[in-house]
Structures are given as structure tokens and as C-alpha cells.
Amino acid sequence: MIVVLKKNISGRQLEALRKKLNAKSVDGAPVLLREGEKILLSEKDVRLADEISGWPGVERVLTEQPPYSLASRASHPSDTVVPVGKVNIGGGRFVMIAGPCAVESEEQIRRIARKVADAGADILRAGAFKPRTSPYSFQGLGAEGLRMLVEAGRDCGLPVVSEITEISCLELFRDVDMIQVGARNMQNFELLKELGRCGKPILLKRSPASTLTELLLAAEYILSGGNGKVVLCERGIRTFETECRNTFDVTAIPLLKEMSHLPVLADPSHATGRAALVRPVALSAAVSGADGLMIEVHDAPEWAESDGAQALTPTEFGALKTAVGGVLPFAVDKEAEA
Ligand code: PEP
Ligand code: MN
């Protein structure tokens, strides 16, 4: 059961509400999803729903809830907007995240950062801790790589996002604007719990073997810890098809928007593994209602330490940005508004 509080609930009403819930032995934990809007998560005592919905400061009480209550659209009908530095993800503006798969050197990340910024990127991406399928593949530059990324982003005025692979590294991410949970860690529950306690925006990527409910339950771990700044990302799933690295699940985009209030991004680079497929898949995601794209970009893909085959050049990225602008008026939510 979820008790949705009125936006203008007073401190006194909130305190009285807590006392009443305690008196009724309902275990209520306040969760701040957005400033001015508090939701009390409590035990499933549906018999109390009618009574509680009449209490001062209560907007409504939701009893029929999917297991991912806080992530659900029902608990929070309006779209959540997640601020990442100066950039807002969700709520209307289409966001382009771009950058190489990995930070390879100071020179490389500075050069590519400048090029993607000039080509219209909103946020710079690059991995410093790389979760690679093979232990013999390039593993990333670690803490030094994060420092290089942060400085490159600062120099060209872009917020940065990078992937965390284990809790003990969290302190190293203090200057990183958004923390990515990669597909392989989507169900690393201890990591998710810790990220729920940190105030940073989280980019949560779907595991290639997870259902949308499992993705939203992973988001729920972060939300229920008190961190409401979660952005979801569809990046392809494992199917019987072997032509591509993964199979891009375009249906996930409108479905997630229906199931949840959280912003949804698409990553056509990891979904396809092939540069030539990035553009058509990216455009399909944009038309399907995604809030933005995450695109791997390298200025010398043939020399990239990782994922060169799926990297767009900065020029191709610029052309994609223009093409996205051309299809956005046909995006599903825009059509609904018209
Ligand atoms: C990445 O974005 O760098 C990455 C490794 O992606 P995924 O976790 O989706 O494989
Ligand atoms: Mn990659």
C-alpha cells in the first residue's frame, strides 16, 4: 500500500500521520521522490486504506500495486525529470549522451569530448571500470580514467556519466555527475542498495536476460533507499538471433513509459554491436518515445580499445543528432499531445 501525500502537506500533518500509522502498527517509511512530493511506503494493510485516505495531508491511497510500487506510474502519474548537472533527463527534451566506450588516455578523452560537444552531445560518457566478458580484454584505466573523464567533461562544459562495478569504488565517483549501473550489474542488489543511499543520478541499464518487471524492481531498490533520481536504459536483450550482439527490444520503450514514471533512454550501440545499425535503431527508439539516446562515439573506431565495431564517428553522431531532430515530431507522446 502506498500513501501519496499532498504536495503542500505541512510538517505538523506529516508528523501526525506518522504517529497515527505507528499507532496502527503500520510500518511507514517516508521516501522523498521529488521535492514537495512525499510518499509513504507501508505494509500491505489494505483494510486501512479507506480510513487513511481521509486523513489531513493525504492525496490518495493506492492498494492495487505492482511489486515495483515506487517505480510504478500509478504511484506517480507525472513524468519524473532527473537533473544531471545542467541537463534534465525526462519531461520533454530529448537528451543525447555520447562518448567512447572507454577512457583510453587523457588525450583521447579530451579530443573526443570536444568533438561530441561540438556535434551536439548533452552529456559525455566513457567507462573507466570496464566489465569485460574476457579477462584478457582491456579492463579500463580505473580511478585515473575517471579523473580524465571528469576533467574532459569540465573543459567542454558537459556533465559526465561512467559505470560503477563495485561498491568500494563509490568514493571515486564524487565528481562524476551520473553513475551508470551496467547491464551485468542490474541485479547486484548490494550495489543498488548503496546507490539508493547516495544522492547522485543513476543510469540503470537493463540486463540482457531480465524482464521489464525485474528492471523496475532493480530501480525499486534504488528508489526505496531514498534516491529518486533513476533513469532506465534499454540496451538490447539476449534472444536466439545471433546476427547482432543483442536484440534491441523497442517495445520496452513505450511499455516502460506506461509502467513507470522514470525517464527511459535507449542504447543502440550495445544493442546492435554494429555501427551501421546504430542509426536506424536510434531513430526507432526516438519515435517510440524514448527520452534520449546513449551512443558510443570514437574518432578512430578501428583503433578503439573496446567496442570499436559499434562506434559512430563524431561526424556520424552529428548527422544522427540532426536525423533525430527530424523524427521527434512523430514520436508517440508528441502525437498524443497533438
Ligand atoms: C557501457 O555502456 O559501457 C556498457 C558496458 O554497456 P552494457 O552494460 O549495456 O553492456
Ligand atoms: Mn561499450
Side-chain angles (χ1 to χ4, degrees):
M1 181 170 70
I2 281 187
V3 183
V4 181
L5 304 184
K6 289 197 170 132
K7 284 205 165 101
N8 57 357
I9 185 170
S10 68
R12 198 187 283 174
Q13 284 174 330
L14 189 60
E15 204 34 53
L17 196 65
R18 271 208 200 102
K19 279 199 184 126
K20 282 183 176 208
L21 288 171
N22 284 344
K24 296 204 175 282
S25 306
V26 177
D27 186 14
V31 177
L32 189 62
L33 274 189
R34 258 183 0 184
E35 220 167 301
E37 183 175 1
K38 300 182 186 80
I39 291 181
L40 286 181
L41 175 69
S42 65
E43 279 180 0
K44 281 188 176 166
D45 197 344
V46 287
R47 286 163 304 158
L48 284 175
D50 280 351
E51 187 184 338
I52 294 175
S53 56
W55 289 354
V58 171
E59 176 88 30
R60 62 189 185 282
V61 176
L62 306 166
T63 50
E64 299 268 317
Q65 279 294 297
Y68 45 88
S69 346
L70 295 173
S72 73
R73 179 66 84 178
S75 74
H76 193 290
S78 59
D79 286 342
T80 282
V81 177
V82 175
V84 180
K86 59 178 185 178
V87 177
N88 280 340
I89 305 186
R93 192 168 160 270
F94 196 84
V95 168
M96 299 286 271
I97 303 180
C101 180
V103 180
E104 297 168 5
S105 69
E106 186 115 46
E107 226 286 297
Q108 173 252 15
I109 191 64
R110 274 181 190 279
R111 210 176 55 231
I112 298 176
R114 173 54 54 206
K115 289 179 180 174
V116 296
D118 289 348
D122 301 294
I123 298 176
L124 176 66
R125 67 141 286 146
F129 296 93
K130 295 302 302 173
R132 305 304 301 282
T133 302
S134 163
Y136 306 116
S137 303
F138 175 62
Q139 301 287 309
L141 299 183
E144 263 303 273
L146 273 189
R147 179 193 60 75
M148 294 171 192
L149 173 69
V150 167
E151 285 175 12
R154 212 171 272 155
D155 283 357
C156 59
L158 296 183
V160 299
V161 56
S162 198
E163 177 169 352
I164 192 166
T165 49
E166 58 160 326
I167 307 171
S168 63
C169 292
L170 187 55
E171 180 50 27
L172 298 172
F173 283 72
R174 63 189 167 275
D175 297 325
V176 171
D177 301 283
M178 180 180 221
I179 300 178
Q180 177 172 319
V181 175
R184 293 158 187 80
N185 271 307
M186 190 204 86
Q187 286 189 319
N188 181 339
F189 300 119
E190 293 310 313
L191 179 62
L192 299 177
K193 282 185 206 166
E194 192 64 37
L195 295 175
R197 289 188 281 267
C198 90
K200 294 221 183 244
I202 308 297
L203 177 58
L204 179 63
K205 298 187 86 175
R206 181 184 183 185
S207 144
S210 81
T211 64
L212 297 182
T213 292
E214 285 163 342
L215 170 62
L216 291 173
L217 282 168
E220 193 80 5
Y221 266 89
I222 303 168
L223 298 174
S224 62
N227 184 355
K229 297 183 217 150
V230 179
V231 174
L232 308 169
C233 182
E234 161 60 32
R235 47 75 74 207
I237 52 174
R238 178 69 62 91
T239 68
F240 54 80
E241 180 56 70
T242 54
E243 286 297 322
C244 282
R245 191 170 174 181
N246 291 287
T247 297
F248 183 69
D249 181 9
V250 71
T251 317
I253 293 168
L255 255 179
L256 284 171
K257 300 291 295 181
E258 188 183 295
M259 294 162 89
S260 176
H261 54 90
L262 298 172
V264 180
L265 301 185
D267 171 354
S269 306
H270 292 90
T272 62
R274 285 159 60 169
L277 298 178
V278 167
R279 180 180 165 121
V281 171
L283 295 179
S284 76
V287 171
S288 303
D291 294 291
L293 294 168
M294 171 135 109
I295 307 288
E296 285 196 343
V297 178
H298 202 292
D299 59 354
E302 63 283 19
W303 295 106
E305 292 277 8
S306 58
D307 287 351
Q310 67 197 34
L312 297 190
T313 61
T315 309
E316 288 166 340
F317 171 70
L320 173 62
K321 166 129 184 151
T322 307
V324 166
V327 301
L328 278 180
F330 305 103
V332 281
D333 55 336
K334 300 282 182 316
E335 280 193 332
E337 279 164 21

